[in-house]
Each structure stands twice: as structure tokens, then as C-alpha cells.
């Protein structure tokens, strides 16, 4: 199996930046598409971004296009989410996930991290 651990969350002012990291264990990491989701209190878990197993294609929710960048480093078994121009609406717990085939819903994903809190103040 794949184990995922997120880090890099925290408190940031609106307009600031954070970089989330997801460390993966397991020899099959490079064969999985990776995604980021987020869930605010009382809301559904929403798709944020995904990257194919090769790293050649990236996909973003409309709400984060132009502000967030997903990337992966197979050699380090990590996936990153660079978040710029953060807004209070970005406040949520952020989860990384691994899928055999990428998708925009949580149901395509087989493995999940524990989540890391991102809080954006106004």
C-alpha cells in the first residue's frame, strides 16, 4: 500500500503563500496519479488539483487556477502544492491522495493522508 503524510499547513495572511508537501512511502508511488483535496468545516471535500503519474499533465479546480501549482518529484516520493495569493475561502484541511487513475472526485482515490490545516486570515 501507499502511505501519505501531509505537511506545510499553517496560518497565513490573505495574499500570502504556503507550500504543502505530501511524503509517500511505498514502491508504487510513481505509478499513481496524485491529487489534493480540501474540506472546510461543515462542507464537502472538494477537488483542488491533480497530477498524472508521469507528471506530464496537471488539472486544477476553477477556484484555484492561476494561484496554485501541483508538482511531483518521484525521486523523492513527494507531491507538492504551491499556494499563492491565498484567500480566506482557501481555509480548509488539505488532503493529498493517490489514485490508479486521476479524477476530480474523492471516489477515484485509493489512499489518503491525514490532512493538514490551512488557515488564511483576513
Amino acid at each position: 500500500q501507499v502511505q501519505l503524510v501531509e505537511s506545510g499547513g499553517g496560518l497565513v495572511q490573505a495574499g500570502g503563500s504556503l507550500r504543502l508537501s505530501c511524503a509517500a512511502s511505498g514502491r508504487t508511488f510513481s505509478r499513481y496519479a496524485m491529487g489534493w483535496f480540501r474540506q472546510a468545516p461543515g462542507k464537502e471535500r472538494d477537488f483542488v488539483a491533480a497530477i498524472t503519474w508521469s507528471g506530464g499533465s496537471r488539472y486544477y479546480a476553477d477556484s484555484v487556477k492561476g494561484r496554485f501549482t501541483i508538482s511531483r518529484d518521484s525521486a523523492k516520493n513527494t507531491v507538492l502544492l504551491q499556494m499563492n495569493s491565498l484567500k480566506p475561502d482557501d481555509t480548509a484541511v488539505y488532503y493529498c491522495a493517490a489514485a490508479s487513475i486521476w479524477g476530480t472526485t474523492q471516489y477515484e482515490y485509493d489512499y489518503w493522508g491525514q490532512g493538514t490545516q490551512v488557515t488564511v486570515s483576513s
Side-chain angles (χ1 to χ4, degrees):
Q1 293 187 347
V2 176
Q3 290 78 46
L4 306 173
V5 180
E6 302 95 335
S7 63
L11 175 65
V12 66
Q13 295 285 330
S17 298
L18 284 174
R19 183 176 64 189
L20 305 184
S21 298
C22 178
S25 63
R27 296 174 63 88
T28 61
F29 172 77
S30 295
R31 297 184 180 274
Y32 283 86
M34 300 295 297
W36 285 95
F37 290 75
R38 65 187 183 186
Q39 187 168 22
K43 297 184 179 179
E44 299 294 324
R45 186 172 299 185
D46 292 329
F47 171 76
V48 176
I51 187 167
T52 56
W53 73 267
S54 67
S57 297
R58 294 185 285 265
Y59 306 90
Y60 299 95
D62 288 343
S63 60
V64 306
K65 286 181 180 177
R67 299 189 297 120
F68 291 10
T69 302
I70 187 171
S71 61
R72 70 187 299 163
D73 185 340
S74 294
K76 296 183 177 180
N77 287 346
T78 59
V79 60
L80 305 176
L81 185 69
Q82 178 67 46
M83 306 185 295
N84 298 325
S85 301
L86 283 162
K87 307 173 181 179
D89 285 349
D90 295 319
T91 295
V93 176
Y94 284 70
Y95 300 88
C96 68
S100 298
I101 302 174
W102 83 274
T104 58
T105 76
Q106 64 186 71
Y107 305 107
E108 284 79 42
Y109 291 81
D110 303 303
Y111 305 102
W112 294 83
Q114 296 297 107
T116 185
Q117 177 70 48
V118 172
T119 302
V120 184
S121 65
S122 60

